[in-house]
Amino acid sequence: MSIAENLSEIRAEIAAACEKAGRDASEVKLMAVSKTHPPQMLAEAYRAGQTLFGENKVQEWEHKRDQLHSLIGEEVAKVEMHLIGNLQSNKANKAAWAFSGIDAVDSVKVAAKLNSVSAQSGLVLPVLIEVKLSEEETKHGLPEYALSGVLREILEFDGIEVRGFMTVPAFTEDVEGARPYFKKLREIRDAMRSEFHGDLALPELSMGMSHDFAVAIEEGSTCVRIGTGIFGSRG
Ligand SMILES: *Cc1c(COP(=O)(O)O)cnc(C)c1O
């Protein structure tokens, strides 16, 4: 199957999951996760109408962006690339310039750096806070107990806007195993929304990947991050 075919299949599955959950399909964005895949494949997805993408490394996108520019020309400016991988504070400057959104912020330190770059450009950078709900050592993100304090500090930064939360659940063979994590993230969002009412609307919940996005949509996801389902395996 071509990338265009994969995309239309995933879009249909998103629509079906929305229908099942009684949600409007326009509430759920599809992010194409292109990490490790060559720029030719991003170009193919872009030509099939995909504009929202995710990469997990700052430098990988910097390299690919130049190559993508030679493939699709000035339209590269229309590619909305988000960083979905852990960001170290020493790379925050570069990241703030290279990405349209940072979806895995997990410290005040990183947020402060993003804010100072963004403030210079006069733009407001949208960010998501990554929440760690799984006990797995390899997972990044803030624990639930730290969220309220961190949000309170980040609210002071005018150069970034916290749009919501993202999470990566512990891997389970059965997709139903992911449901409690998705439900938990939504409950946390609702709790933070009432705690910061008026200051933070927190409309975005980035959750769900190739194998479990339908469940994530049922639990309120507004952005599903699909890699394998669009581009095939990462080898
Ligand atoms: C790689 C990655 C994805 C995509 O995973 P697939 O299973 O290939 O769909 C989604 N989210 C994050 C944070 C990733 O690193």
Side-chain angles (χ1 to χ4, degrees), residues 32-38 41-42 53-57 60-61 64 81-82 84-85 168 209 225-228 231-235:
V33 177
S34 50
K35 67 186 185 203
T36 77
H37 295 296
M41 290 173 88
L42 277 83
F53 290 84
E55 286 274 346
N56 66 341
K57 293 190 177 125
E60 185 175 338
W61 171 232
K64 280 191 204 171
M81 181 63 76
H82 285 228
I84 59 169
V168 181
M209 304 176 14
R225 309 180 306 266
I226 312 292
T228 320
F231 299 108
S233 73
R234 286 182 287 274

mmCIF file of all heavy atoms in Angstrom, residues 32-38 41-42 53-57 60-61 64 81-82 84-85 168 209 225-228 231-235:
data_model
loop_
_atom_site.group_PDB
_atom_site.id
_atom_site.type_symbol
_atom_site.label_atom_id
_atom_site.label_comp_id
_atom_site.label_asym_id
_atom_site.label_seq_id
_atom_site.Cartn_x
_atom_site.Cartn_y
_atom_site.Cartn_z
ATOM 1 N N ALA A 32 1.200 12.687 11.474
ATOM 2 C CA ALA A 32 2.012 11.646 10.832
ATOM 3 C C ALA A 32 3.403 11.661 11.451
ATOM 4 O O ALA A 32 4.135 12.644 11.334
ATOM 5 C CB ALA A 32 2.094 11.905 9.328
ATOM 6 N N VAL A 33 3.754 10.576 12.140
ATOM 7 C CA VAL A 33 5.046 10.511 12.834
ATOM 8 C C VAL A 33 6.103 9.938 11.883
ATOM 9 O O VAL A 33 6.105 8.753 11.567
ATOM 10 C CB VAL A 33 4.937 9.668 14.122
ATOM 11 C CG1 VAL A 33 6.299 9.545 14.800
ATOM 12 C CG2 VAL A 33 3.921 10.296 15.077
ATOM 13 N N SER A 34 6.988 10.822 11.433
ATOM 14 C CA SER A 34 7.902 10.473 10.341
ATOM 15 C C SER A 34 9.315 10.141 10.801
ATOM 16 O O SER A 34 10.209 9.966 9.969
ATOM 17 C CB SER A 34 7.928 11.623 9.335
ATOM 18 O OG SER A 34 8.143 12.866 9.996
ATOM 19 N N LYS A 35 9.533 10.047 12.110
ATOM 20 C CA LYS A 35 10.886 9.756 12.621
ATOM 21 C C LYS A 35 11.482 8.524 11.945
ATOM 22 O O LYS A 35 10.756 7.555 11.692
ATOM 23 C CB LYS A 35 10.846 9.557 14.137
ATOM 24 C CG LYS A 35 10.085 8.314 14.564
ATOM 25 C CD LYS A 35 9.923 8.210 16.065
ATOM 26 C CE LYS A 35 9.281 6.893 16.418
ATOM 27 N NZ LYS A 35 8.607 6.911 17.732
ATOM 28 N N THR A 36 12.771 8.608 11.675
ATOM 29 C CA THR A 36 13.582 7.572 11.000
ATOM 30 C C THR A 36 13.278 7.387 9.506
ATOM 31 O O THR A 36 14.022 6.722 8.804
ATOM 32 C CB THR A 36 13.524 6.161 11.662
ATOM 33 O OG1 THR A 36 12.285 5.518 11.310
ATOM 34 C CG2 THR A 36 13.665 6.209 13.178
ATOM 35 N N HIS A 37 12.200 7.962 9.020
ATOM 36 C CA HIS A 37 11.860 7.784 7.605
ATOM 37 C C HIS A 37 12.449 8.924 6.764
ATOM 38 O O HIS A 37 12.568 10.044 7.227
ATOM 39 C CB HIS A 37 10.345 7.722 7.429
ATOM 40 C CG HIS A 37 9.721 6.525 8.089
ATOM 41 N ND1 HIS A 37 9.995 5.229 7.698
ATOM 42 C CD2 HIS A 37 8.874 6.427 9.140
ATOM 43 C CE1 HIS A 37 9.328 4.389 8.478
ATOM 44 N NE2 HIS A 37 8.643 5.095 9.362
ATOM 45 N N PRO A 38 12.794 8.608 5.500
ATOM 46 C CA PRO A 38 13.449 9.607 4.656
ATOM 47 C C PRO A 38 12.493 10.722 4.209
ATOM 48 O O PRO A 38 11.277 10.526 4.187
ATOM 49 C CB PRO A 38 13.917 8.783 3.447
ATOM 50 C CG PRO A 38 12.985 7.629 3.390
ATOM 51 C CD PRO A 38 12.630 7.316 4.816
ATOM 52 N N MET A 41 9.531 10.287 1.892
ATOM 53 C CA MET A 41 8.260 9.770 2.401
ATOM 54 C C MET A 41 7.410 10.889 3.016
ATOM 55 O O MET A 41 6.186 10.875 2.925
ATOM 56 C CB MET A 41 8.508 8.631 3.411
ATOM 57 C CG MET A 41 9.033 7.382 2.709
ATOM 58 S SD MET A 41 9.551 6.061 3.839
ATOM 59 C CE MET A 41 8.027 5.181 4.065
ATOM 60 N N LEU A 42 8.068 11.869 3.606
ATOM 61 C CA LEU A 42 7.319 13.027 4.123
ATOM 62 C C LEU A 42 6.690 13.781 2.952
ATOM 63 O O LEU A 42 5.540 14.213 3.025
ATOM 64 C CB LEU A 42 8.224 13.985 4.888
ATOM 65 C CG LEU A 42 8.531 13.663 6.346
ATOM 66 C CD1 LEU A 42 9.666 12.670 6.476
ATOM 67 C CD2 LEU A 42 8.856 14.933 7.103
ATOM 68 N N PHE A 53 2.832 16.882 11.184
ATOM 69 C CA PHE A 53 3.812 15.811 11.338
ATOM 70 C C PHE A 53 4.446 15.843 12.722
ATOM 71 O O PHE A 53 4.396 16.866 13.413
ATOM 72 C CB PHE A 53 4.940 15.966 10.298
ATOM 73 C CG PHE A 53 4.526 15.682 8.883
ATOM 74 C CD1 PHE A 53 3.915 16.658 8.108
ATOM 75 C CD2 PHE A 53 4.745 14.432 8.313
ATOM 76 C CE1 PHE A 53 3.526 16.405 6.797
ATOM 77 C CE2 PHE A 53 4.361 14.167 6.999
ATOM 78 C CZ PHE A 53 3.753 15.158 6.241
ATOM 79 N N GLY A 54 5.041 14.727 13.111
ATOM 80 C CA GLY A 54 5.782 14.672 14.365
ATOM 81 C C GLY A 54 7.128 14.002 14.159
ATOM 82 O O GLY A 54 7.239 13.014 13.423
ATOM 83 N N GLU A 55 8.154 14.579 14.769
ATOM 84 C CA GLU A 55 9.494 13.975 14.793
ATOM 85 C C GLU A 55 9.934 13.962 16.247
ATOM 86 O O GLU A 55 9.475 14.787 17.042
ATOM 87 C CB GLU A 55 10.491 14.818 13.973
ATOM 88 C CG GLU A 55 10.331 14.712 12.464
ATOM 89 C CD GLU A 55 11.078 13.526 11.836
ATOM 90 O OE1 GLU A 55 11.941 12.931 12.517
ATOM 91 O OE2 GLU A 55 10.784 13.206 10.671
ATOM 92 N N ASN A 56 10.856 13.050 16.605
ATOM 93 C CA ASN A 56 11.231 12.999 18.017
ATOM 94 C C ASN A 56 12.623 13.530 18.316
ATOM 95 O O ASN A 56 13.030 13.546 19.465
ATOM 96 C CB ASN A 56 11.032 11.590 18.592
ATOM 97 C CG ASN A 56 11.971 10.584 17.972
ATOM 98 O OD1 ASN A 56 12.524 10.823 16.907
ATOM 99 N ND2 ASN A 56 12.160 9.454 18.629
ATOM 100 N N LYS A 57 13.354 13.985 17.269
ATOM 101 C CA LYS A 57 14.687 14.541 17.523
ATOM 102 C C LYS A 57 14.872 15.863 16.792
ATOM 103 O O LYS A 57 14.513 15.978 15.603
ATOM 104 C CB LYS A 57 15.761 13.562 17.070
ATOM 105 C CG LYS A 57 15.793 12.305 17.911
ATOM 106 C CD LYS A 57 17.018 11.465 17.612
ATOM 107 C CE LYS A 57 17.068 10.242 18.507
ATOM 108 N NZ LYS A 57 17.162 9.001 17.751
ATOM 109 N N GLU A 60 17.369 15.633 13.704
ATOM 110 C CA GLU A 60 16.844 14.838 12.585
ATOM 111 C C GLU A 60 15.927 15.716 11.729
ATOM 112 O O GLU A 60 16.002 15.691 10.497
ATOM 113 C CB GLU A 60 16.092 13.615 13.112
ATOM 114 C CG GLU A 60 15.618 12.681 12.007
ATOM 115 C CD GLU A 60 14.976 11.399 12.538
ATOM 116 O OE1 GLU A 60 15.242 11.018 13.697
ATOM 117 O OE2 GLU A 60 14.205 10.797 11.775
ATOM 118 N N TRP A 61 15.093 16.514 12.367
ATOM 119 C CA TRP A 61 14.194 17.380 11.605
ATOM 120 C C TRP A 61 14.965 18.512 10.920
ATOM 121 O O TRP A 61 14.676 18.878 9.791
ATOM 122 C CB TRP A 61 13.067 17.925 12.481
ATOM 123 C CG TRP A 61 12.244 18.989 11.817
ATOM 124 C CD1 TRP A 61 11.956 20.221 12.333
ATOM 125 C CD2 TRP A 61 11.593 18.934 10.535
ATOM 126 N NE1 TRP A 61 11.174 20.934 11.458
ATOM 127 C CE2 TRP A 61 10.942 20.170 10.334
ATOM 128 C CE3 TRP A 61 11.513 17.970 9.523
ATOM 129 C CZ2 TRP A 61 10.212 20.472 9.191
ATOM 130 C CZ3 TRP A 61 10.793 18.265 8.360
ATOM 131 C CH2 TRP A 61 10.152 19.497 8.209
ATOM 132 N N LYS A 64 16.263 16.955 7.796
ATOM 133 C CA LYS A 64 15.203 16.581 6.852
ATOM 134 C C LYS A 64 14.507 17.793 6.258
ATOM 135 O O LYS A 64 14.053 17.761 5.123
ATOM 136 C CB LYS A 64 14.160 15.712 7.557
ATOM 137 C CG LYS A 64 14.566 14.273 7.709
ATOM 138 C CD LYS A 64 13.331 13.508 8.161
ATOM 139 C CE LYS A 64 13.684 12.252 8.877
ATOM 140 N NZ LYS A 64 12.502 11.646 9.496
ATOM 141 N N MET A 81 5.362 20.928 11.800
ATOM 142 C CA MET A 81 6.133 19.858 12.448
ATOM 143 C C MET A 81 6.210 20.076 13.955
ATOM 144 O O MET A 81 6.623 21.129 14.410
ATOM 145 C CB MET A 81 7.547 19.819 11.849
ATOM 146 C CG MET A 81 8.442 18.735 12.431
ATOM 147 S SD MET A 81 7.848 17.038 12.138
ATOM 148 C CE MET A 81 8.288 16.803 10.390
ATOM 149 N N HIS A 82 5.772 19.057 14.696
ATOM 150 C CA HIS A 82 5.850 19.124 16.155
ATOM 151 C C HIS A 82 6.942 18.198 16.679
ATOM 152 O O HIS A 82 7.175 17.129 16.109
ATOM 153 C CB HIS A 82 4.512 18.717 16.796
ATOM 154 C CG HIS A 82 3.456 19.765 16.684
ATOM 155 N ND1 HIS A 82 2.697 20.171 17.747
ATOM 156 C CD2 HIS A 82 3.041 20.505 15.618
ATOM 157 C CE1 HIS A 82 1.852 21.116 17.358
ATOM 158 N NE2 HIS A 82 2.028 21.330 16.073
ATOM 159 N N ILE A 84 7.840 15.548 19.297
ATOM 160 C CA ILE A 84 7.093 14.661 20.194
ATOM 161 C C ILE A 84 8.019 13.847 21.089
ATOM 162 O O ILE A 84 7.569 13.012 21.861
ATOM 163 C CB ILE A 84 6.168 13.704 19.399
ATOM 164 C CG1 ILE A 84 6.985 12.850 18.428
ATOM 165 C CG2 ILE A 84 5.086 14.491 18.655
ATOM 166 C CD1 ILE A 84 6.189 11.708 17.803
ATOM 167 N N GLY A 85 9.344 14.088 20.950
ATOM 168 C CA GLY A 85 10.307 13.351 21.771
ATOM 169 C C GLY A 85 10.823 14.227 22.898
ATOM 170 O O GLY A 85 10.673 15.452 22.872
ATOM 171 N N VAL A 168 2.388 8.657 26.650
ATOM 172 C CA VAL A 168 2.666 7.386 25.980
ATOM 173 C C VAL A 168 2.433 6.299 27.028
ATOM 174 O O VAL A 168 3.157 6.247 28.013
ATOM 175 C CB VAL A 168 4.130 7.310 25.474
ATOM 176 C CG1 VAL A 168 4.383 5.991 24.758
ATOM 177 C CG2 VAL A 168 4.459 8.483 24.562
ATOM 178 N N MET A 209 -1.545 5.830 19.369
ATOM 179 C CA MET A 209 -0.574 5.567 18.315
ATOM 180 C C MET A 209 -1.171 4.516 17.369
ATOM 181 O O MET A 209 -2.357 4.205 17.462
ATOM 182 C CB MET A 209 0.749 5.105 18.942
ATOM 183 C CG MET A 209 1.201 6.151 19.928
ATOM 184 S SD MET A 209 2.663 5.922 20.965
ATOM 185 C CE MET A 209 3.602 4.602 20.365
ATOM 186 N N ARG A 225 -1.115 10.127 17.115
ATOM 187 C CA ARG A 225 0.226 10.196 16.532
ATOM 188 C C ARG A 225 0.536 8.862 15.855
ATOM 189 O O ARG A 225 0.825 7.873 16.513
ATOM 190 C CB ARG A 225 1.250 10.473 17.638
ATOM 191 C CG ARG A 225 0.891 11.664 18.536
ATOM 192 C CD ARG A 225 1.961 11.876 19.610
ATOM 193 N NE ARG A 225 2.208 10.669 20.383
ATOM 194 C CZ ARG A 225 1.612 10.379 21.550
ATOM 195 N NH1 ARG A 225 0.737 11.197 22.087
ATOM 196 N NH2 ARG A 225 1.898 9.249 22.173
ATOM 197 N N ILE A 226 0.472 8.848 14.537
ATOM 198 C CA ILE A 226 0.584 7.581 13.805
ATOM 199 C C ILE A 226 1.856 7.532 12.966
ATOM 200 O O ILE A 226 2.053 8.366 12.075
ATOM 201 C CB ILE A 226 -0.630 7.382 12.859
ATOM 202 C CG1 ILE A 226 -1.967 7.657 13.564
ATOM 203 C CG2 ILE A 226 -0.610 5.981 12.238
ATOM 204 C CD1 ILE A 226 -2.355 6.664 14.625
ATOM 205 N N GLY A 227 2.716 6.550 13.262
ATOM 206 C CA GLY A 227 3.929 6.344 12.476
ATOM 207 C C GLY A 227 3.797 5.128 11.580
ATOM 208 O O GLY A 227 3.557 5.229 10.371
ATOM 209 N N THR A 228 3.909 3.954 12.180
ATOM 210 C CA THR A 228 3.878 2.684 11.451
ATOM 211 C C THR A 228 2.671 2.549 10.524
ATOM 212 O O THR A 228 2.811 2.076 9.401
ATOM 213 C CB THR A 228 3.850 1.516 12.465
ATOM 214 O OG1 THR A 228 4.730 1.839 13.541
ATOM 215 C CG2 THR A 228 4.294 0.225 11.831
ATOM 216 N N PHE A 231 3.649 5.017 7.504
ATOM 217 C CA PHE A 231 4.926 4.885 6.792
ATOM 218 C C PHE A 231 5.492 3.466 6.791
ATOM 219 O O PHE A 231 6.525 3.210 6.195
ATOM 220 C CB PHE A 231 5.970 5.815 7.412
ATOM 221 C CG PHE A 231 5.598 7.290 7.336
ATOM 222 C CD1 PHE A 231 5.221 7.987 8.467
ATOM 223 C CD2 PHE A 231 5.618 7.951 6.107
ATOM 224 C CE1 PHE A 231 4.889 9.335 8.408
ATOM 225 C CE2 PHE A 231 5.270 9.291 6.029
ATOM 226 C CZ PHE A 231 4.909 9.991 7.181
ATOM 227 N N GLY A 232 4.846 2.548 7.510
ATOM 228 C CA GLY A 232 5.372 1.190 7.605
ATOM 229 C C GLY A 232 6.346 1.083 8.768
ATOM 230 O O GLY A 232 6.536 2.037 9.524
ATOM 231 N N SER A 233 6.957 -0.091 8.917
ATOM 232 C CA SER A 233 7.799 -0.311 10.097
ATOM 233 C C SER A 233 9.094 0.483 9.991
ATOM 234 O O SER A 233 9.536 0.838 8.896
ATOM 235 C CB SER A 233 8.100 -1.796 10.272
ATOM 236 O OG SER A 233 9.022 -2.177 9.296
ATOM 237 N N ARG A 234 9.667 0.750 11.157
ATOM 238 C CA ARG A 234 10.888 1.546 11.180
ATOM 239 C C ARG A 234 12.134 0.683 11.082
ATOM 240 O O ARG A 234 13.227 1.130 11.359
ATOM 241 C CB ARG A 234 10.912 2.415 12.442
ATOM 242 C CG ARG A 234 9.947 3.582 12.378
ATOM 243 C CD ARG A 234 10.000 4.463 13.610
ATOM 244 N NE ARG A 234 9.387 3.852 14.759
ATOM 245 C CZ ARG A 234 8.068 3.923 15.045
ATOM 246 N NH1 ARG A 234 7.247 4.558 14.232
ATOM 247 N NH2 ARG A 234 7.596 3.342 16.113
ATOM 248 N N GLY A 235 11.992 -0.554 10.631
ATOM 249 C CA GLY A 235 13.130 -1.401 10.345
ATOM 250 C C GLY A 235 13.877 -1.880 11.581
ATOM 251 O O GLY A 235 13.577 -1.532 12.681
#
